[in-house]
Amino acid sequence: MSLLFRKPTIFNAKNVLLRQNDVQILLLTSKNFSAVPTIYDGESDPAPKFFSSNVQVLLKRLTRPDFNKVFRKRTNSGFPVLKTPQYKFLTTEQLEAEVAKSRARADQLLQMPPVVKVQTHIKEVLSRDPALIGFDTAKYMFTDITLGVDNQHRIIMERDTDGVLQSCDPDVRKRLNQIYFPIKGRKIKEPVMFTDPERFNSLLDREQYEFVLDRACIQYEPDEPSYQKITSVAYQHVDSRKNYGLLRSTRHFGPLTFYLTWHLSMEGLLLELLQNNVIREAVLLVALRQEVHGDVANGSAAQGLVAEIMNTPIQLSKPESLTEEDIQLDTKCIDCIEQYISANSSMKSQQELALQGFREFYQQLIDLSRGVRKAHGNA
Amino acid sequence: MAFSLNLRSIILNRIIRSDVRFGFRAFSDAADGAAEGEEQDNGAAVDPTKDRTKVIPLETSMKYMQSKAYNQTYGESPVWFLYRRNHKGGFAPRKTRKSCVRNGMISTGNPCPICRDEYLVLHHQNTNLLEQFISEHTGQVLDAFKTGLCQKKHKELLVAIERAWDQGYLTYDVPFREYDYSLYNKNNETTKNKV
């Protein structure tokens, strides 16, 4: 009898344990961030839009380059000993030349990784030689290692064991290219941080977005599906946590903005811009959406404002005083954003609140700067 | 009474037996633990601070890195900071010693910074420890000449850091990659060629 009684109790205990485990797993999944990786593989190709000069200009401006961040101290020189800095006395012209040089250098450092459609591999057969069937137990790879040919156009062929001479898979191509013409920092074997979702998510949770994206740039080609999956998950994570500031003034902000705009999910970014009182960039974002999709109600107005905004300097910090032109431009921007929110936005209430907050802040600023000018006797 | 006496004797017997058994077990355990060398016979003389046969789990080490005891010992500076090598003459040899531990015992009077503290475990997840061996200026692993690690531990360190970089436990500044836009902007290229 005792045996009979015991058995069900054991089963019950097991059931309870199992149930508890289930609950834990569910909790974990709900705690963890889950994003669906997406790739640019639809009908439309993002490349022409991304490379068009209008979009490039907008993306570069939205990056809001801060030279302190662009030229931050980096440890990727590869030299075991640091170079000693040079201190010089310069004339004004020389100084201007140096500043121009460092601007060019910043542009170079901020070059955006290209956003292109995912590649499709077509197997091209050069010849079939049945006489060679069983010539060896292994494939033979042939690589043209002529200098001055880029990796994409290099001729790499494989002779299969069944005598077919054909072009090879993209990953084999990549490996051979890396063997003969190594890219610094790229590994032949994929890093575990990209292959293991747990490690990848832990990196995102630690908000190491720049590292993840930089490394993805090195490890993968921009038209590889795995690159686009990794970056899309990272962008979605940034968007869900509103961590735009971490990527701002890095080379990845442009592709992030483009990604969000392409998938029509840039409302969070717009809200962040409104909350941080950069109304002009909000207009640029609306203009970007108009460029990419052309579905904004007052799109042409926003695009008209772009040229005016481009002439003004970048707003890195809160403006201290406003000129009358600034006030005119900003009121136009406010109108534009208001129309956008009422017509196109999917986050209306929050954005309206943020815009209202900005209006109040701006009114104070206007009063202050006008008052100061009056006190100085200028107006 | 007789019954109670009987009971008492039984209990006493049990205790004595179990004692004997326990003693025997303890003895046999000691013999098992140090079965490798001849030294286990005078096992009582083993200095517990020099014994390195016990494997410290990673979790303990990571907890230790955050603890008050660690802070009291090392403060804010890296674990190798106050370590000085013993050497003849004015210049230290380029290579540090091969190993500080032989037959599971510290075999030197001045073990290296990792060997001297048994709770410092070189593992790719122990990033607080690994970070101390990476130069903040150049991003490269510091030489054993600077840190004083023995060759064995230095090799372990290199493996642990490489793993940590690979798995994303440690981040670093990735080399810059410049893109050639003409390769990706295909429409533009074709128009250029036509013109």
Side-chain angles (χ1 to χ4, degrees), chain B residues 123-147:
Chain B
H123 189 274
H124 52 266
Q125 289 182 16
N126 201 354
T127 45
N128 284 341
L129 180 61
L130 297 185
E131 268 166 8
Q132 302 180 2
F133 293 90
I134 296 173
S135 163
E136 58 173 319
H137 305 292
T138 63
Q140 297 188 343
V141 183
L142 292 172
D143 197 36
F145 187 76
K146 172 131 183 115
T147 58

Side-chain angles (χ1 to χ4, degrees), chain A residues 320-363:
Chain A
E320 282 174 9
S321 64
L322 295 165
T323 59
E324 288 302 318
E325 292 97 58
D326 280 339
I327 294 167
Q328 269 182 10
L329 180 58
D330 284 333
T331 43
K332 271 189 228 168
C333 289
I334 291 171
D335 291 341
C336 174
I337 291 296
E338 198 176 8
Q339 282 176 36
Y340 170 80
I341 290 172
S342 59
N344 291 75
S345 175
S346 58
M347 215 190 248
K348 267 177 195 156
S349 55
Q350 279 168 300
Q351 285 179 351
E352 265 164 12
L353 261 178
L355 189 65
Q356 192 51 42
F358 174 74
R359 273 209 192 99
E360 280 161 21
F361 159 80
Y362 200 69
Q363 194 54 46

